[in-house]
Amino acid sequence: MPQIRRAMNAGQKERRRDDVLDAARRLCIGSDMSALSMDAIAREAGLAKGTLYLYFQTKEELFLALLEQDMEGWLASVEAAFAEALPSDHRALAKFIAAGLIERPLMTQLFARLPAVLEGNLPDDVALAFRLRTVRRTDAFGACLERALGPIAQGQGARLSQWVFAMIVGVHQIANPRPRMQRVLESRPELLARRLDFESELADALTALLDGIAPTA
Amino acid sequence: MPQIRRAMNAGQKERRRDDVLDAARRLCIGSDMSALSMDAIAREAGLAKGTLYLYFQTKEELFLALLEQDMEGWLASVEAAFAEALPSDHRALAKFIAAGLIERPLMTQLFARLPAVLEGNLPDDVALAFRLRTVRRTDAFGACLERALGPIAQGQGARLSQWVFAMIVGVHQIANPRPRMQRVLESRPELLARRLDFESELADALTALLDGIAPTA
Amino acid sequence: MPQIRRAMNAGQKERRRDDVLDAARRLCIGSDMSALSMDAIAREAGLAKGTLYLYFQTKEELFLALLEQDMEGWLASVEAAFAEALPSDHRALAKFIAAGLIERPLMTQLFARLPAVLEGNLPDDVALAFRLRTVRRTDAFGACLERALGPIAQGQGARLSQWVFAMIVGVHQIANPRPRMQRVLESRPELLARRLDFESELADALTALLDGIAPTA
Amino acid sequence: MPQIRRAMNAGQKERRRDDVLDAARRLCIGSDMSALSMDAIAREAGLAKGTLYLYFQTKEELFLALLEQDMEGWLASVEAAFAEALPSDHRALAKFIAAGLIERPLMTQLFARLPAVLEGNLPDDVALAFRLRTVRRTDAFGACLERALGPIAQGQGARLSQWVFAMIVGVHQIANPRPRMQRVLESRPELLARRLDFESELADALTALLDGIAPTA
DNA sequence: AATGAATGAGACTTCATTCAT
DNA sequence: CATGAATGAAGTCTCATTCAT
């Protein structure tokens, strides 16, 4: 299943690392993240279990890499879009964010599970490096928000950035029941009727939040 | 440690169930929730491991019961407070909510871990019953919010209630690093400087959210 | 295969612990000690792998228990024999020791491998407790030697005891080739001709050692 | 770190083989032998893991080579010393042996671990060749002993040689606790007080053994 | 009702060895 | 000859759950 037999140079190694992450991503989407074993990832990637440990020191490091891959891509897409044109108003901004997350179904889920991952078997230096990159991303996204929200948010970008992420995580948890609960909900019409749509709910909630932060914008 | 040797009638059985939950609560606060084993809970409760299964079908049901106990208590306290006097403004409401959560340190944590619990080994009927009670609580808290926010929130209580909870979960995750990450943060002044205080951060974020929802209130 | 389904009281538990040790002993004799896995021991004992960990914290603790069981038995037999009649001379003492070891084929082997076991995954308190018991056994055997060797060994029992054990371990290593080497030896007559017999070789070597220690005895 | 990039002729290949052995020796002394991986040896030697397998069929062959290197050197030093002057008495001989071992800290350790190595993954032909060389060395050392001990040991050199080695291995095991046990001992004064010094203990034990073998010498 | 011994699937990780490059 | 990525079997240990007592 792997394209190349042996990843010899840096480029091939990076591709192989990505292969592993892709395999993990496929499995996460298909079933449930917490049920994911290194064994299963290796099988899905068409590699031996030991090979995974050549690319990731521990399982947790792999998950972290998965999250960061998505976040970097997402952040880049936000920055690219803002460079072209800033959202016209809060609702547009909120919808843009929500739409971007829909394209990366795993990112929100991984972010929500982050605490569990961080508590696992993670070398301290990996945890620290992750945190430092998280700070950088928070600031970068904060800068985007400041530009979009105008003078009112000046200097508050990082905080707002965190509030936005808090809302994303929270709405995700409420609007995206995991498979098992999904099944339960589907057995009861009155519960099904109260189902929320993640994208629109998040857009609405973020709009309200932004409205509250920067009333006139 | 258990007061009675054998729980014969319904009252005694309920008390014993509560004993187990109290033991779990003590342990959760002391250390980390995900590292909690049935063995440890049984020991803390002064009971045998097997006995726990007389009161809870699975570990997950136990955690769910723990969460619900806290939520019911919290909801009752909210309702009691609102019956006496409604919060004077958004900030007062936000601070009241944040303060109530501080008094129940486990509730927020359990709520944040809910997806993991729900994906675990949980009988379908238990999951369903939990969900139905969650709906009831959501509506009850929603009604409180409608009363506090006035005409603007009319009919939106349940949704707002969920947004508020989303914000609680999200801010919790960002402001309460788990022990390991806490240690890592403490090793770096520049990270320590960015530490957030859960209570005040939540109050600010909720205030903004409420301001956005009901601008004039 | 296990006699009783569940070991409920202390006696049954001790018997079960012994069952596990017996299973390990059977496997050690049959094949090679270092090839012994907890998995194999559990299978041989007719128990689940996890059950072994109810009786021994780690694999190393199990091996230590195996060794101690043999040593206690051996020491008791030495003391019993000496209580009845002291060996008449050095050669008689040496032969008695060698004969006692032949009856416990595992003891010498385990003793020889002790360093490897002690370097494994052994809780510090278990290691300490083992060492303290080893000291007691050394002194007890030393007392036996002092009685047998007469005035010359007075106060030197413990040291002599250790020299005797050193000789036992060393001769064992030279005279008892492990299966693989045994096969190799058998393929060459000139090597086979130099084969040593553990029992007689040890008896001779110990006799010499005792002669050197206590010339007139 | 390796002097030459590619070992082309026999001389260079032998030097490279020695480089590997030297690297292994450095690591053995620094830490614990059983924890030594081919990876670590390769790194220390400045070579790739695969390269090691060009010089040694298996890990065990490498360890065997290490032991033999030390033994050949030691034997040569014994023969050289005896050619100059024979030890004046048993104690002098014993002290000479003990001192020679102190200079080769690895030799004793490797000899003690020999059974484990021999039981590992060792090609039969390698095992056989090792054994044949061991016989030669045993005889050579035996001849030295016969010369030193005089007529009494005539024809017994090889046996005595093995007894001496048995004593060396045994005293080594008793007097040189591995790091973990060393730590445990250091936590208890009563255990620390019973610590043995390898060199002097071996000298005493060997003196006694020689006295027993050849009383008048 | 209570116990706690027993289960056993499953997790992560290591490392000697191989072999494509 | 040299490399080092890949292998994969093997290992130890955990823990939610069951069930004989």
Side-chain angles (χ1 to χ4, degrees):
Chain A
M1 178 160 320
Q3 310 251 357
I4 45 179
R5 192 71 62 94
R6 243 154 226 254
M8 298 302 287
N9 57 47
Q12 289 175 322
K13 281 162 90 165
E14 191 162 347
R15 194 153 5 150
R16 173 133 298 179
R17 198 182 136 103
D18 286 349
D19 287 346
V20 173
L21 291 176
D22 286 347
R25 185 169 280 119
R26 283 195 296 279
L27 290 174
C28 276
I29 289 171
S31 98
D32 191 35
M33 216 192 82
S34 67
L36 215 53
S37 70
M38 290 298 261
D39 216 4
I41 296 173
R43 237 185 345 260
E44 173 74 21
L47 295 170
K49 214 174 350 175
T51 308
L52 263 50
Y53 286 88
L54 296 177
Y55 294 92
F56 304 96
Q57 288 186 59
T58 67
K59 188 195 194 191
E60 280 72 24
E61 191 180 338
L62 191 156
F63 276 113
L64 240 44
L66 210 51
L67 170 60
E68 294 202 75
Q69 214 183 41
D70 271 2
M71 295 203 73
E72 294 289 355
W74 177 76
L75 186 57
S77 82
V78 170
E79 286 175 330
F82 279 33
E84 202 165 313
L86 290 176
S88 54
D89 61 7
H90 292 164
R91 171 150 295 273
L93 173 51
K95 284 176 114 163
F96 172 76
I97 291 173
L101 294 174
I102 289 292
E103 281 174 23
R104 291 170 181 76
L106 217 52
M107 177 175 140
T108 312
Q109 191 179 332
L110 283 162
F111 200 80
R113 297 243 172 171
L114 189 52
V117 171
L118 290 174
E119 212 38 43
N121 183 15
L122 200 61
D124 273 11
D125 57 334
V126 174
L128 174 59
F130 168 75
R131 187 66 180 211
L132 291 173
R133 286 192 299 271
T134 298
V135 165
R136 185 174 47 63
R137 282 189 294 262
T138 300
D139 289 343
F141 183 52
C144 291
L145 288 179
E146 290 192 17
R147 273 197 289 146
L149 295 181
I152 284 166
Q154 215 62 35
Q156 295 293 307
R159 269 186 97 204
L160 302 192
S161 163
Q162 290 180 298
W163 292 2
V164 168
F165 264 99
M167 192 56 105
I168 290 171
V169 167
V171 171
H172 161 77
Q173 171 159 336
I174 286 167
N176 289 321
R178 303 275 64 218
R180 167 167 324 212
M181 184 53 93
Q182 182 66 34
R183 272 205 323 277
V184 168
L185 297 185
E186 279 162 6
S187 73
R188 286 288 191 125
E190 75 265 35
L191 292 179
L192 218 45
R194 296 179 66 115
R195 199 180 21 176
L196 299 181
D197 172 63
F198 174 65
E199 187 170 6
S200 64
E201 195 70 17
L202 179 60
D204 288 353
L206 282 183
T207 303
L209 180 63
L210 295 170
D211 283 345
I213 290 164
T216 62
Chain B
M1 178 159 318
Q3 311 252 357
I4 45 179
R5 189 71 60 95
R6 246 164 193 257
M8 302 299 285
N9 58 47
Q12 289 174 323
K13 282 161 99 165
E14 188 158 353
R15 194 151 9 149
R16 173 136 298 179
R17 198 180 137 103
D18 286 349
D19 286 346
V20 173
L21 291 175
D22 286 347
R25 182 169 283 119
R26 282 195 298 276
L27 290 175
C28 276
I29 290 171
S31 87
D32 191 34
M33 218 193 80
S34 68
L36 214 55
S37 70
M38 290 297 263
D39 210 7
I41 297 172
R43 236 183 350 257
E44 173 76 20
L47 295 171
K49 220 179 340 179
T51 308
L52 264 50
Y53 286 86
L54 297 176
Y55 295 93
F56 304 96
Q57 290 186 58
T58 69
K59 191 194 193 191
E60 281 72 25
E61 188 181 343
L62 191 157
F63 277 114
L64 237 46
L66 210 50
L67 171 59
E68 295 203 72
Q69 221 182 36
D70 269 3
M71 295 202 74
E72 295 288 355
W74 178 75
L75 187 58
S77 82
V78 171
E79 287 175 329
F82 279 31
E84 204 165 311
L86 290 176
S88 53
D89 59 8
H90 291 164
R91 173 149 293 272
L93 172 51
K95 283 177 115 162
F96 173 75
I97 291 173
L101 294 174
I102 289 292
E103 280 174 23
R104 290 171 182 75
L106 216 53
M107 179 175 136
T108 311
Q109 193 178 331
L110 282 162
F111 201 78
R113 297 241 171 175
L114 190 51
V117 171
L118 291 174
E119 209 40 42
N121 184 12
L122 200 62
D124 276 10
D125 58 333
V126 174
L128 174 60
F130 168 74
R131 187 68 180 211
L132 291 172
R133 286 192 299 273
T134 297
V135 166
R136 183 171 50 63
R137 283 190 294 264
T138 300
D139 289 343
F141 182 51
C144 290
L145 287 179
E146 289 192 17
R147 274 198 288 148
L149 295 180
I152 285 165
Q154 215 61 35
Q156 296 293 309
R159 272 185 94 204
L160 302 193
S161 162
Q162 290 178 300
W163 293 2
V164 167
F165 265 101
M167 192 56 106
I168 290 171
V169 167
V171 171
H172 163 77
Q173 171 159 336
I174 286 166
N176 290 320
R178 305 275 66 216
R180 168 167 323 208
M181 185 51 92
Q182 181 66 35
R183 269 206 325 278
V184 168
L185 297 185
E186 279 162 6
S187 72
R188 287 287 190 127
E190 76 265 35
L191 292 178
L192 217 46
R194 297 178 65 116
R195 202 179 20 177
L196 298 181
D197 173 64
F198 174 64
E199 187 171 5
S200 65
E201 197 71 17
L202 178 61
D204 288 353
L206 282 182
T207 302
L209 180 63
L210 295 171
D211 283 346
I213 290 165
T216 61
Chain C
M1 176 162 315
Q3 311 250 356
I4 45 179
R5 191 70 61 94
R6 243 153 226 257
M8 298 302 288
N9 58 47
Q12 290 174 322
K13 282 162 89 165
E14 190 160 348
R15 193 153 5 149
R16 173 135 299 179
R17 198 182 137 104
D18 286 349
D19 288 345
V20 172
L21 292 175
D22 287 347
R25 184 168 281 120
R26 282 195 299 277
L27 290 173
C28 277
I29 290 171
S31 98
D32 191 35
M33 215 194 84
S34 68
L36 215 53
S37 70
M38 290 299 261
D39 217 5
I41 297 173
R43 235 183 350 260
E44 172 75 19
L47 294 171
K49 215 180 341 179
T51 308
L52 263 52
Y53 286 89
L54 295 177
Y55 293 93
F56 304 96
Q57 288 186 59
T58 68
K59 188 195 194 190
E60 281 72 24
E61 190 180 339
L62 191 156
F63 277 113
L64 240 45
L66 210 49
L67 170 59
E68 295 203 73
Q69 215 182 40
D70 270 3
M71 296 204 73
E72 295 288 354
W74 177 76
L75 186 58
S77 82
V78 171
E79 286 175 330
F82 279 33
E84 205 166 311
L86 290 176
S88 54
D89 59 10
H90 292 163
R91 171 150 295 275
L93 173 51
K95 283 177 115 161
F96 172 76
I97 290 173
L101 294 174
I102 289 292
E103 281 174 25
R104 291 171 182 76
L106 217 52
M107 178 174 139
T108 312
Q109 190 179 334
L110 283 162
F111 201 78
R113 297 244 170 170
L114 190 52
V117 171
L118 290 175
E119 213 37 42
N121 183 15
L122 199 62
D124 273 11
D125 57 334
V126 174
L128 174 59
F130 169 75
R131 186 67 180 213
L132 292 173
R133 285 193 299 272
T134 297
V135 165
R136 184 172 48 62
R137 282 190 294 262
T138 301
D139 289 343
F141 183 53
C144 290
L145 288 179
E146 290 193 16
R147 273 196 290 147
L149 296 181
I152 286 166
Q154 215 62 34
Q156 295 293 309
R159 268 186 98 203
L160 302 193
S161 162
Q162 290 179 300
W163 292 2
V164 168
F165 265 99
M167 192 56 106
I168 290 171
V169 166
V171 172
H172 161 78
Q173 172 161 333
I174 286 167
N176 289 320
R178 302 277 65 217
R180 165 167 325 212
M181 184 53 92
Q182 181 65 35
R183 270 206 325 276
V184 168
L185 298 185
E186 280 161 6
S187 72
R188 288 287 192 128
E190 76 265 36
L191 292 179
L192 218 46
R194 296 177 65 114
R195 199 181 21 177
L196 299 181
D197 172 63
F198 173 64
E199 187 171 5
S200 64
E201 195 71 16
L202 178 60
D204 288 353
L206 281 183
T207 302
L209 179 63
L210 295 171
D211 283 345
I213 290 165
T216 61
Chain D
M1 176 158 319
Q3 311 252 358
I4 45 180
R5 190 70 60 92
R6 245 162 193 260
M8 301 299 285
N9 59 47
Q12 289 174 322
K13 282 162 97 166
E14 189 159 351
R15 195 155 4 151
R16 174 137 299 180
R17 196 181 137 102
D18 285 349
D19 287 346
V20 173
L21 292 176
D22 285 347
R25 182 168 281 120
R26 283 195 297 278
L27 289 174
C28 276
I29 289 171
S31 88
D32 192 35
M33 218 192 78
S34 67
L36 214 54
S37 70
M38 289 298 263
D39 210 6
I41 296 172
R43 235 185 349 259
E44 173 76 19
L47 295 170
K49 219 177 345 176
T51 308
L52 264 51
Y53 285 86
L54 297 175
Y55 296 93
F56 304 95
Q57 290 186 59
T58 69
K59 190 193 193 191
E60 281 71 24
E61 188 181 343
L62 191 158
F63 277 114
L64 237 46
L66 210 50
L67 170 59
E68 295 202 72
Q69 220 181 37
D70 269 3
M71 294 202 75
E72 295 289 355
W74 177 77
L75 187 57
S77 82
V78 171
E79 287 175 329
F82 279 31
E84 203 165 314
L86 291 175
S88 55
D89 59 9
H90 292 164
R91 170 150 295 274
L93 173 52
K95 282 177 114 163
F96 172 75
I97 291 173
L101 295 174
I102 288 292
E103 279 174 25
R104 291 171 182 75
L106 216 53
M107 177 175 138
T108 313
Q109 194 178 332
L110 282 161
F111 201 78
R113 296 242 172 173
L114 189 53
V117 170
L118 291 175
E119 209 40 42
N121 183 13
L122 199 62
D124 275 10
D125 58 333
V126 175
L128 174 60
F130 168 76
R131 187 67 181 211
L132 291 172
R133 286 192 299 273
T134 297
V135 166
R136 184 173 48 64
R137 283 190 294 264
T138 300
D139 289 344
F141 183 53
C144 290
L145 288 179
E146 289 193 16
R147 274 198 289 147
L149 295 181
I152 285 166
Q154 214 63 34
Q156 295 294 308
R159 271 185 95 205
L160 301 193
S161 164
Q162 290 179 300
W163 293 2
V164 168
F165 265 100
M167 192 56 106
I168 290 171
V169 166
V171 172
H172 163 77
Q173 171 160 334
I174 285 167
N176 289 320
R178 305 274 69 216
R180 168 167 322 210
M181 185 51 93
Q182 182 65 34
R183 270 207 325 278
V184 168
L185 298 185
E186 278 162 7
S187 71
R188 287 287 192 126
E190 75 264 36
L191 293 179
L192 218 47
R194 298 178 65 115
R195 201 180 19 178
L196 299 181
D197 172 63
F198 174 65
E199 186 171 5
S200 64
E201 197 70 18
L202 179 60
D204 288 354
L206 282 182
T207 303
L209 180 62
L210 295 171
D211 283 346
I213 290 166
T216 61

